[in-house]
Amino acid sequence: MPLPPMPADPPVHSSYRAGALAAVRDAYVVLLPITLFGVAATLLGNFPIPAGRAWLEARFGLGWADAAEAVVQSTWGVLGLALAVTIASMVAQRAPRGTSREPLPPIWVAIGAMVNFTLCASATGPVTLQSFGTGSMLTGIVVGLATPALLRPLADWAPMRRLAIGYDSNPVFYHATRLTLPLVLLGLLSKAVAELVWRLPRPDAQWLAEAGARLDAEWLLTPLAVAVNQCLWFFGVHGGKVLDAHFGFLFTLAGEPAVPGRVPRVLVDNFVHLGGSGATLGLLVALFIVARHGQNRRLAQLSWLPALFNVNELLLFGLPLVLNPRFLLPFLLGPLVLVLPPLLALHLGWIELLPVQIPWTTPVLLSGWWLTGSWVGAALQALGLVISTAIYLPFVRRHEAERRAERLSAFQHASAVIVSEAPRSDTPLRRSDHVGVIARGLLHDLERAIGTPALALVYQPQHRADGAVVGVEALLRWQHAGYGAVRTDVAIALAEQGAVITPLGAWVIDRACACKAQWNTQGLGALTMSVNVSPLQLSQPGLHLVVAQALHRHGLRPDELELEITESRGIPVGEVADANLARLDALGVGLAMDDFGMGHASLLHLRRFRVAAIKVDGSLSRDVMTHPVSADIIRAIATLGHAGGARVIAEFVETREQRDLLATLGCNVFQGYLYSRALPASECLEYLLQARGAVAEAAAAELR
């Protein structure tokens, strides 16, 4: 069958735009540690409750607020610069090379972005720490995107390349000489553009003030100011700082008397920006309603306390809301709708904005009460919270459904990779991509699940040709809290790769022996309990002691337990493995070879240790009805097994015709859906008792 044609690569400019947009979003996520640190310091430095501020002063001294502000300046105070450097580095790392022969090393692009950002900041006057903070995030985004886009053609320009040292020099020195002059030229260009932009005509403050006086500022300019603020924030720009810097004359602040033609800023801050820009306290409530687990639930748990104090950067950058088209509509619509109830209440005389100074971090309901001196203010805020939650709720539901689908797809892909690379040591665990993250997370969860209800054993009966049950196989099942049922081969591969197979194997042996001891009280002592053992367990000293202790603990005879050695890696050869095999044989525990006939199985193992049973590989059992070669292989395996006195077990037996053919080929024990699926312990006990009764009735009928 011919392979389908490969899809055409997207145009370079299209993939560059997509990569640039993703780089901006991801840069905010990368900078979350800075954001979180700044959030904590901001909450401390602007704590709105007087009693809390007094306690902080008594606890940490008079300088605690200055220390908190220093942390803010060291985190949020450099966010613009950090954005420029991070975005530029990510774009350079992800951008397609196109026709360029040489890649742009991300470290040099980051250095160029840092220099260009500082040069742009110098266009407004002396460079200070204030030049690098949240007020310069727009500059950071523009510089971060422009630097790699412009540096590449400059670096590929023939006159620039002639100045580079030969390619046989040290790579660091080669890139330094190749990019120095392009970086200098780009820096001069950045400085010139910044100076030009800074000298552009500014809005006529007098004209805007007169226009605001002619218009009904509260009903027209207030929604307009809210819309501009939201649009700026959507692109990662601090809307409040931009409005204050360029249009501050249009606002009346807290404590100032109302002025006709100006926007009541205190009303916007306390009745519209509930939880911060975008009314994100409603988004937070919607997340708690919809997201029961997963990253959105954890993000909501981290964000609720800062959002209560109107600090929402964790949601803006962590969800993210910035440059996220999924939340554009509610992010713009919510605040615009929330403008209407307080304005209506103000015009109808239901509330009065008192001339009081309220810290912007004052929590919802409390700020409404203090600002209006009435319960109506708090009720308006509660109404706004309900409205914003209702607006965000359908979008959160859709986003959570998409996130779960993406998460499940990533989990399934990682599971396939984990199993496919199982024989190759701990390769998936060392990967730095999404597969590695999921593999390490699953391994951690697997370690924690040992001994809990998340891990359980089920049991599949094994029958003779006459229908009598002669044993059961214990099979591991893992019910993950987030992903649901995890494939057994994934769990075993992770346990082997992450050095968890020894404690997991010991737990499985103990639980299987405990179940067998309970069944013995019902007269099922003649049945054999088969337990899978990884080849890696054979390489660990003391396996025989683990088995002996489990048998003694639960009062079982050694011949009641059989260890099936799985062939995932091949049975190890060495002193430790040989000693374990010999001591298990001396103990009286049966040894079986699983999946015989394919994979790592070797006939040489039949003379290394005494084999009590051979399990035919499932692929052979499935194909026996349609592939004569499979039948020949099974006949040969059965002949070898019987010659050594071993039982020959066929798995995946689903029809009577298949069982009968396998019996003629030499198999004498059968396991599969023809008889039963793997059952929990209580259901399996009921099945075994019923099967024993049926065999007894059949025997009695023959005697009659």
Side-chain angles (χ1 to χ4, degrees):
M1 180 177 179
L3 294 175
M6 295 294 291
D9 292 334
V12 172
H13 57 83
S14 174
S15 58
Y16 182 85
R17 285 197 300 268
L21 185 64
V24 175
R25 290 199 304 263
D26 291 348
Y28 280 109
V29 178
V30 169
L31 296 176
L32 270 181
I34 292 179
T35 302
L36 185 59
F37 202 4
V39 163
T42 300
L43 289 181
L44 285 176
N46 298 274
F47 201 76
I49 312 299
R53 295 181 66 87
W55 182 86
L56 288 169
E57 183 175 315
R59 182 75 174 178
F60 301 108
L62 297 176
W64 68 271
D66 294 335
E69 181 61 23
V71 173
V72 173
Q73 292 301 323
S74 302
T75 52
W76 285 2
V78 296
L79 191 57
L81 175 61
L83 267 177
V85 172
T86 306
I87 292 172
S89 178
M90 284 187 165
V91 171
Q93 186 176 9
R94 301 176 181 181
R97 190 179 303 178
T99 58
S100 176
R101 293 183 179 180
E102 291 284 354
L104 284 179
I107 183 64
W108 293 103
V109 180
I111 291 173
M114 180 182 65
V115 173
N116 294 339
F117 180 92
T118 306
L119 289 171
C120 290
S122 68
T124 62
V127 178
T128 64
L129 189 59
Q130 300 298 325
S131 307
F132 301 146
T134 52
S136 60
M137 288 194 296
L138 177 59
T139 304
I141 294 173
V142 173
V143 169
L145 293 176
T147 297
L150 297 176
L151 183 58
R152 181 176 295 278
L154 283 174
D156 291 339
W157 190 24
M160 300 292 101
R161 294 184 60 85
R162 292 193 186 99
L163 299 176
I165 301 298
Y167 61 83
D168 55 346
S169 61
N170 180 282
V172 176
F173 191 57
Y174 168 74
H175 287 301
T177 57
R178 181 172 73 93
L179 296 176
T180 294
L181 190 54
L183 284 172
V184 170
L185 291 178
L186 185 55
L188 294 176
L189 178 63
S190 301
K191 176 67 172 176
V193 171
E195 293 285 351
L196 179 62
V197 171
W198 185 250
R199 284 169 172 73
L200 290 176
R202 292 291 183 272
D204 188 342
Q206 182 64 30
W207 180 84
L208 286 173
E210 293 175 357
R214 288 194 299 269
L215 297 171
D216 190 337
E218 292 179 349
W219 285 105
L220 296 178
L221 289 185
T222 301
L224 179 60
V226 169
V228 171
N229 177 77
Q230 295 306 114
C231 289
L232 290 172
W233 265 116
F234 178 76
F235 288 99
V237 180
H238 198 303
K241 289 187 178 293
V242 172
L243 291 175
D244 288 341
H246 300 287
F247 305 98
F249 54 85
L250 293 177
F251 297 90
T252 56
L253 304 179
E256 295 181 353
V259 178
R262 293 195 179 183
V263 177
R265 180 62 175 270
V266 66
L267 182 141
V268 174
D269 288 344
N270 291 278
F271 291 97
V272 177
H273 294 160
L274 303 177
S277 179
T280 45
L281 199 56
L283 170 61
L284 193 60
V285 175
L287 284 173
F288 273 115
I289 293 173
V290 174
R292 298 300 180 182
H293 52 74
Q295 65 184 45
N296 285 345
R297 183 73 177 187
R298 291 191 291 272
L299 179 64
Q301 292 168 342
L302 283 174
S303 302
W304 76 267
L305 182 59
L308 188 64
F309 293 92
N310 302 311
V311 180
N312 68 340
E313 275 74 8
L314 289 178
L315 287 172
L316 286 171
F317 307 145
L319 190 55
L321 294 176
V322 172
L323 292 175
N324 189 343
R326 293 172 177 171
F327 286 102
L328 173 60
L329 182 59
F331 190 65
L332 296 179
L333 180 62
L336 290 175
V337 173
L338 294 191
V339 167
L340 303 179
L343 281 180
L344 183 63
L346 189 64
H347 278 265
L348 292 177
W350 294 350
I351 60 171
E352 177 186 358
L353 300 179
L354 301 178
V356 295
Q357 292 285 350
I358 298 179
W360 63 272
T361 52
T362 305
V364 173
L365 303 184
L366 188 59
S367 61
W369 180 279
W370 285 354
L371 183 62
T372 63
S374 166
W375 65 268
V376 179
L380 277 173
Q381 288 183 324
L383 175 63
L385 181 58
V386 172
I387 292 174
S388 60
T389 301
I391 291 174
Y392 275 112
L393 202 55
F395 295 90
V396 170
R397 285 199 176 100
R398 186 177 66 181
H399 177 261
E400 183 67 9
E402 292 173 350
R403 186 198 65 81
R404 285 197 295 264
E406 292 172 357
R407 182 171 180 262
L408 181 59
S409 176
F411 164 71
Q412 292 172 343
H413 172 67
S415 298
V417 173
I418 289 168
V419 173
S420 66
E421 297 187 359
R424 298 167 52 190
S425 185
D426 57 352
T427 303
L429 297 176
R430 292 182 179 272
R431 293 174 60 152
S432 58
D433 59 2
H434 204 181
V435 171
V437 173
I438 293 176
R440 289 186 290 273
L442 285 174
L443 177 62
H444 174 71
D445 294 341
L446 179 60
E447 288 183 283
R448 296 177 58 186
I450 297 176
T452 71
L455 283 180
L457 295 183
V458 293
Y459 305 89
Q460 189 168 30
Q462 298 173 336
H463 291 252
R464 289 199 311 252
D466 61 3
V469 181
V470 294
V472 295
E473 180 184 7
L475 300 169
L476 181 68
R477 295 291 184 266
W478 181 14
Q479 190 69 23
H480 191 275
Y483 295 116
V486 180
R487 290 165 41 184
T488 302
D489 55 352
V490 173
I492 297 302
L494 279 173
E496 291 179 339
Q497 296 162 13
V500 183
I501 193 65
T502 298
L504 177 62
W507 178 83
V508 169
I509 291 171
D510 182 77
R511 289 298 85 205
C513 289
C515 180
K516 183 61 167 62
Q518 293 177 354
W519 290 352
N520 286 354
T521 62
Q522 302 295 320
L524 299 174
L527 297 181
T528 300
M529 174 68 71
S530 297
V531 179
N532 290 287
V533 175
S534 166
L536 290 183
Q537 290 176 263
L538 289 176
S539 300
Q540 301 296 321
L543 176 61
H544 67 289
L545 295 177
V546 172
V547 174
Q549 291 169 1
L551 293 172
H552 177 74
R553 186 182 304 117
H554 299 289
L556 300 183
R557 304 185 314 275
D559 61 353
E560 294 182 69
L561 181 65
E562 189 169 83
L563 301 182
E564 295 186 9
I565 305 172
T566 59
E567 288 282 86
S568 59
R569 292 170 175 258
I571 300 176
V573 177
E575 294 182 3
V576 175
D578 290 342
N580 276 323
L581 291 170
R583 289 168 179 168
L584 289 171
D585 184 49
L587 185 63
V589 173
L591 297 174
M593 293 188 65
D594 198 6
D595 298 332
F596 193 87
M598 303 291 286
H600 298 276
S602 172
L603 297 177
L604 295 176
H605 296 316
L606 296 178
R607 71 178 188 182
R608 282 186 63 197
F609 53 90
R610 184 170 58 86
V611 177
I614 292 177
K615 294 191 82 170
V616 177
D617 187 85
S619 62
L620 298 173
S621 299
R622 290 192 187 98
D623 296 342
V624 69
M625 300 293 294
T626 56
H627 288 78
V629 175
S630 295
D632 293 338
I633 295 174
I634 293 174
R635 183 182 292 107
I637 292 173
T639 301
L640 287 171
H642 294 320
R647 291 174 291 117
V648 179
I649 304 172
E651 294 182 288
F652 301 102
V653 179
E654 298 179 354
T655 65
R656 293 182 181 276
E657 293 77 12
Q658 181 190 14
R659 181 201 61 189
D660 293 342
L661 177 57
L662 289 168
T664 62
L665 296 175
C667 299
N668 47 17
V669 179
F670 307 92
Q671 177 180 341
Y673 277 27
L674 173 63
Y675 300 101
S676 173
R677 60 180 176 87
L679 301 169
S682 58
E683 295 180 28
C684 189
L685 174 60
E686 183 178 352
Y687 176 90
L688 296 174
L689 294 177
Q690 291 177 353
R692 184 179 64 179
V695 171
E697 290 179 4
E702 289 183 3
L703 292 176
R704 289 195 298 268

